[in-house]
Amino acid sequence: MLTVNVAGKTLRYNNVPAGGTATGSFHVKQEETLSVRGRFADGTAFEEHCGYVVWEEFAPHISAVVRNDGSIGSP
């Protein structure tokens, strides 16, 4: 299970396989942080505030990778 919170919007993804991807869209009216949290199939939880989005960017593309140890970073 994967949950992404940004700009007051929550994107939820279930059953994302290892090595899989999930996409979604959002709009920001001001500067916002990107928070990613979830739970691996074995029940191990992870959470991290991992990004910063500003409203001046037009159609930004943000990529984040959840590693096997639960850390979150750039691809």
Side-chain angles (χ1 to χ4, degrees):
M1 189 266 309
L2 177 67
T3 303
V4 177
N5 293 312
V6 63
K9 184 174 183 178
T10 301
L11 305 167
R12 287 189 172 86
Y13 307 93
N14 292 310
N15 301 318
V16 179
T21 62
T23 62
S25 62
F26 56 88
H27 176 73
V28 296
K29 295 180 182 177
Q30 59 189 15
E31 299 168 343
E32 300 282 351
T33 59
L34 178 71
S35 176
V36 177
R37 71 177 185 270
R39 188 171 303 277
F40 291 117
D42 69 0
T44 304
F46 58 86
E47 180 172 5
E48 192 169 328
H49 300 287
C50 62
Y52 192 70
V53 183
V54 294
W55 65 270
E56 294 101 341
E57 295 182 44
F58 178 74
H61 178 85
I62 299 170
S63 297
V65 173
V66 179
R67 297 181 184 94
N68 291 339
D69 66 358
S71 64
I72 301 168
S74 298

